[in-house]
Amino acid sequence: MFRVLPWIITGLVLSFGAGALVWFGPPSGFPVIEFALLIAAFGVSQTLLIQHHARNLRISFNLTDIPLVVALVYLDPFWVIAARCLVSMFFYMGRYLREDIGVLKPLFNVGLTTSGTAVAVIFVQVIGLGGLDEPATWLVLVGAIVTTGVVTTVLISALLYSLSGWDSVAKAWIAFFVTMVGPVLAACVGVIFVLLLDATLWSVLLIGFVVVALVYLARSYMALRRQRHVLRELNDFTQLVVDSVRSKRLIDAMLGRLRDILSAESATVWVPKAGRYPEIRLTSTLDDTGLTDLDPVPDVLQRGVMESGVGVLLSPKNGTRAQKEALEAAGLRGAMLVPLRSGDEVYGCLSVADRIGGELSHFVPVDLQLLETIAANVGIAVQNERLLDQLRYDAYHDPLTGLPSRRRSLAALQEALSITVSGEVVAVLMFDVDSLHEINDALGHEAGDTALQEFAKRLKAHAPPASFIGRIDSDEFILQTRLASTDAAVETARRLRASLQGPFEVGGIAVSLSAAVGVVTHPDFAADADELLKRADSATRQAKNAADGVQLYHSGLESESLRRIGLAADLRRALERRQLEVHFQPKVRLDRALGEPGALIGAEALVRWPHPTFGLIAPEEFIPIAGSTGQLGQLTELVLDEALRRSAEWAGEDGPLPMAVNLSPRTLADADFPDKVAALLERHGVPAERLTFEITEDDVVSGEPRLTPALDRLHEMGVRLSVDDFGTGYSSLAYLRRLPVQEIKIDLRFVQGMATDDDDRAIVEAVLGLARHFAIDVVAEGIEAHQTVEQLRELHCEAGQGYYFSRPLPADRFAAWLDNRGGGRGQARLRAV
C-alpha cells in the first residue's frame, strides 16, 4: 500500500492542476506578447535559486512568486496556470530525467507547481482585487502567495510521509516556516513591480536591474556564509584531531565527525598492509555507533587514488565510466576519495560515500576540496607516523569493550604457548554470550552494546590474576591463563560462568546475561594457537547443549568436525552430479470467500539429500555446510531450476503452477542473483508472479539494509516475497512497510497450538489482522488436524499447508497426487476440508 500511495498522491495533485485548467478554460483571445513574456519571466526566475543552511536543513526557494503576482493582476487565470505548468514541465522533466531517477518526482513537482498556481488564482478570484493603489489589494496578492505555500507544503508532507515517515514531514514544515519570509518578500516585490508597471511600462528596465542585483547579492552572501561555515568546521576538526591523538580515540572521532561535516552516510579510512603491520580498514556509518571493517567503497577505486595520489569525486556528472560502473556495482550513488599522506608518501586513503538526502543529493567539487583539506589536516596532526600507530592500535583493539581483538588475542596466545612451565597448563576458555540477538531486537543495538560492555567488565573483574582477555567476535570472548591442571580449568570455567550470570539494568529494564563456555588446554589437546582456538570453538558449540553450560574439549568433538568436512566434500560432488532431490508440498485454499476450499493454489519446493552412506541428511545440517563452503548459490540455483521446470510441467488452465522457494540472506546478498532468476524464468517460460521467495523473519530484519537492493530488483521483475516463520522474531514490524512483502507464513508452532492454547490462537488472529492492514496474503504452516483447519477458516485465513493435506513429495509422487485429485493438474482439489 505504501509503495502505491506516492503515485496516488501524485495523481491527485496532477488531477487538481489539470482540473483547474479545464474549469477556467481558455478565453477567446490569446495574449501572445504577454504570454511569451510571462513564460520567459517564469523560466528565468525558476533558475534563480537561493539556498540557505539552517539547523541541518538545506532550504531552497526561487523567485517565481514575483512574476506570479504580476500575472495574477494582468492575465486571465487560464493563461497564468498554463504558463506556470508549461515552464515547470520543461524545467523539472529535463532536470530529473538527466539524473535518471524515474518520473515520480518530476511528475509530482509539475503537479505541485500547477496546483499551487491554481490555488493562488482561485484565492484571488474568490476574494477579488480592488484598485492597485489600495492596501487591501496588496494584502490579497500576498495572501495568495502565502496560501499557495501552505497548500503545497501540505501536499509535500503527504508525499514525504508515504516515503519516509513523520520525521520528514516535521522537517518539511520547519523548512516552510523558516523560508516563508522569502515568498512573502517576493510577493511584496511583485506588488511593487505591479505599481511601477501601472505607472509606466518603462519601469520594466529598472525592475530587471533590481532583480539581477538582488539575486547576485543574495548568492554572494550565501557563498560567504558557506565559506565561513567551512572555515569554522575545519578549525573544529583540526582541534578534534589533536585532542583525539592525545586520548587514543583518533579514528572514532575523525570518521564520525567527517561524516557530519560532509553529510555522508559512511566514512572510511584504509591503510594497506606495510611490512609487519596488517591492513587497516575501518568504517563509520550512520547505523553503527562504533567502527566496522565493512567498507562500502570498492577496493579498486581506493587503490587507484593511492597510485595516482589525486583525489576523486564520483557523482552522476563526475568520474570516468569505469569508476561509475564500479560505484554502481557496489550499490552507491556517489563517493569522494582522497589520499592520506605522510610527507611525500601516500600511505592510505580517506573516503566518504552517499550523501544524505536521497537520489538528488550528490557531492560537489567544493566538497572534494574540503575533504582534501581535512586529509591534509589529519596528516599534519599525526606527523612522524602517529596516525599509523593509532590506526594499528585500533586494529588490534575492540573499540566497544577496549579488549584486544582476535588478531591480538592469537598473537598473545602464541606467545603464551612458547613458554613452558612445569606443572602448569595453558587454559583457553571461550565464552559465547547467550541471547544477544534477542536483546538487540527487543531493546535495540545500544542495549546489546551495553550488555557486551557489562559482560567484558564482569569477566575482567572475576578472571584469575595475570589472565589475558580478548574479544574475538561479536559475541565471543576468550580468556587465556595458566592453571595447575585441566580439571582446574573446567572448575574455573564453571566459577566464572556463575559469576557472570545475573541481571543488569538497561533503560529501566532488567536484562539477564549468560554464556556457554568451551574449555581447551595446552599441551593436552593442541599444539599451537590456531588449533587451540579452533578446538575451543568446537567445545563452545557443544557447551550450548550442556546442562551446566560448560564443555571440555575431547576427541569425540573432532569426529563431528570431520563429519562436517566429509559432508562438505560429498555435497560438492552431489551438486555436480545433481544427486539432490527436490520435494514439493502443496499449498491449498482455506477461506471459502476466496474460492473453492481445498483447491490447490501452489506448492513449496524443498531440497532433500539422500546420502549413499548416512542416509537422508536433514536440510538443517547440510544447508549451513553449503553456506560456509561457498556452495549455497549452486544449491539454490539447482532447487530453483527444478522448481521452475516442474512449475511449467504442472501448468493448469491459469498458467504454470505457483511455486515457492526458500532463500538465504547470503544468496540475496549476491548482486547477480536477480539476473540469474530472470534467466531461469525465461528458460522455463514461467511468469515472474508465479514465483515466490521465502526468507525467515529474523533473516529479513537482520539483513534488511544489504538485502533491500536485491529484493527491490526482484519485486520490479514481479517476483513475490514471503516472510517465513512469521511471529517468532522480536524486532519491529516496520519492515512490512519498507520491504516489498506480499505474503507472510505463520509459524507452525502457533498454528499447531491454537486448538489447545488461547494465547497461540490470539497470536494467529493478531497476525491475520496485521496482514489485512498491510494487504498481505497469509499462509498457515504446519496444519495437521481438521480442527485447526476449521479454526483458521473461522479467522478467514486465506491458505495453508501441512501434513493434513500432504507431506513433501518427490516430483513423480506429487504428479500422481495431482492426477488423483480430479480436475487435472494445476486445478487439483483436496477432500472437503
Side-chain angles (χ1 to χ4, degrees), residues 95-223:
R95 175 184 175 186
Y96 286 110
L97 290 179
R98 282 196 303 272
E99 300 286 351
D100 191 25
I101 63 165
V103 298
L104 176 64
K105 287 188 177 181
L107 285 177
F108 177 80
N109 283 327
V110 169
L112 187 69
T113 303
T114 307
S115 299
T117 306
V119 167
V121 169
I122 293 172
F123 185 93
V124 171
Q125 292 293 312
V126 170
I127 298 180
L129 295 177
L132 294 180
D133 58 345
E134 298 177 6
T137 299
W138 307 345
L139 290 176
V140 170
L141 292 173
V142 174
I145 301 302
V146 173
T147 303
T148 299
V150 173
V151 172
T152 54
T153 304
V154 170
L155 296 176
I156 291 173
S157 298
L159 182 67
L160 289 176
Y161 173 74
S162 67
L163 293 173
S164 307
W166 287 110
D167 289 342
S168 299
V169 173
K171 291 182 179 179
W173 282 100
I174 292 173
F176 168 76
F177 288 114
V178 172
T179 59
M180 199 61 232
V181 65
V184 170
L185 288 176
C188 294
V189 172
V191 171
I192 294 173
F193 288 178
V194 167
L195 295 175
L196 291 174
L197 290 172
D198 186 65
T200 174
L201 290 177
W202 288 104
S203 62
V204 71
L205 299 176
L206 297 176
I207 291 172
F209 175 80
V210 170
V211 169
V212 171
L214 287 175
V215 171
Y216 175 79
L217 292 174
R219 289 191 168 181
S220 299
Y221 173 72
M222 288 188 296

Side-chain angles (χ1 to χ4, degrees), residues 327-568:
L327 200 68
E328 184 178 358
L332 299 176
R333 293 179 283 105
M336 294 189 298
L337 303 91
V338 297
L340 285 173
R341 302 178 184 275
S342 179
D344 295 330
E345 178 189 2
V346 176
Y347 63 81
C349 177
L350 188 64
S351 60
V352 294
D354 280 355
R355 189 156 204 168
I356 298 172
E359 296 92 340
L360 294 181
S361 297
H362 301 291
F363 299 113
V364 294
V366 68
D367 295 322
L368 179 62
Q369 295 175 4
L370 178 57
L371 182 59
E372 289 174 337
T373 304
I374 289 173
N377 277 309
V378 172
I380 294 172
V382 292
Q383 282 290 356
N384 300 320
E385 298 186 351
R386 293 175 72 184
L387 174 61
L388 288 174
D389 291 340
Q390 190 63 45
L391 286 172
R392 291 172 182 127
Y393 176 85
D394 288 344
Y396 281 115
H397 291 79
D398 170 37
L400 179 65
T401 62
L403 295 176
S405 63
R406 182 186 186 90
R407 186 182 294 111
R408 178 69 187 96
S409 298
L410 273 171
L413 184 55
Q414 192 62 49
E415 292 172 6
L417 298 184
S418 65
I419 302 173
T420 301
V421 179
S422 177
E424 288 186 350
V425 297
V426 176
V428 173
L429 282 58
M430 181 177 289
F431 298 80
D432 190 328
V433 183
D434 296 333
S435 304
L436 185 62
H437 179 68
E438 286 80 359
I439 294 175
N440 285 334
D441 288 344
L443 302 177
H445 287 276
E446 184 176 352
D449 291 344
T450 303
L452 290 172
Q453 290 171 331
E454 176 66 17
F455 186 89
K457 179 180 177 182
R458 293 184 183 183
L459 186 56
K460 287 189 290 186
H462 294 93
S467 296
F468 177 91
I469 302 172
R471 184 186 179 196
I472 61 173
D473 204 348
S474 59
D475 55 358
E476 291 183 348
F477 297 78
I478 68 163
L479 182 147
Q480 171 254 308
T481 188
R482 291 182 179 273
L483 296 170
S485 65
T486 299
D487 291 340
V490 174
E491 288 303 319
T492 300
R494 292 195 178 105
R495 177 182 62 80
L496 284 174
R497 185 175 185 273
S499 302
L500 294 169
Q501 289 181 331
F504 70 100
E505 189 173 295
V506 177
I509 298 176
V511 177
S512 296
L513 275 183
S514 181
V517 188
V519 182
V520 65
T521 58
H522 168 83
D524 301 307
F525 300 112
D528 58 37
D530 286 328
E531 191 174 14
L532 266 175
L533 212 56
K534 181 181 70 174
R535 292 184 172 177
D537 187 59
S538 298
T540 305
R541 287 199 302 270
Q542 292 299 319
K544 295 179 180 179
N545 302 319
D548 60 356
V550 176
Q551 176 67 58
L552 173 67
Y553 176 83
H554 57 81
S555 57
L557 301 180
E558 197 70 28
S559 61
E560 180 184 348
S561 299
L562 292 175
R563 171 183 165 92
R564 287 176 57 87
I565 294 173
L567 286 179

Side-chain angles (χ1 to χ4, degrees), residues 752-776:
Q752 293 174 351
M754 62 183 296
T756 57
D757 191 319
D758 291 340
D759 291 339
D760 285 343
R761 177 184 172 93
I763 291 174
V764 173
E765 188 172 1
V767 171
L768 288 167
L770 180 69
R772 293 188 189 102
H773 174 77
F774 286 105
I776 294 174

Side-chain angles (χ1 to χ4, degrees), residues 679-702:
L680 287 172
L681 289 169
E682 183 178 359
R683 180 195 303 172
H684 295 289
V686 176
E689 61 271 13
R690 291 279 166 166
L691 174 62
T692 299
F693 283 133
E694 297 183 5
I695 181 170
T696 64
E697 181 181 9
D698 285 343
D699 288 337
V700 168
V701 177
S702 62

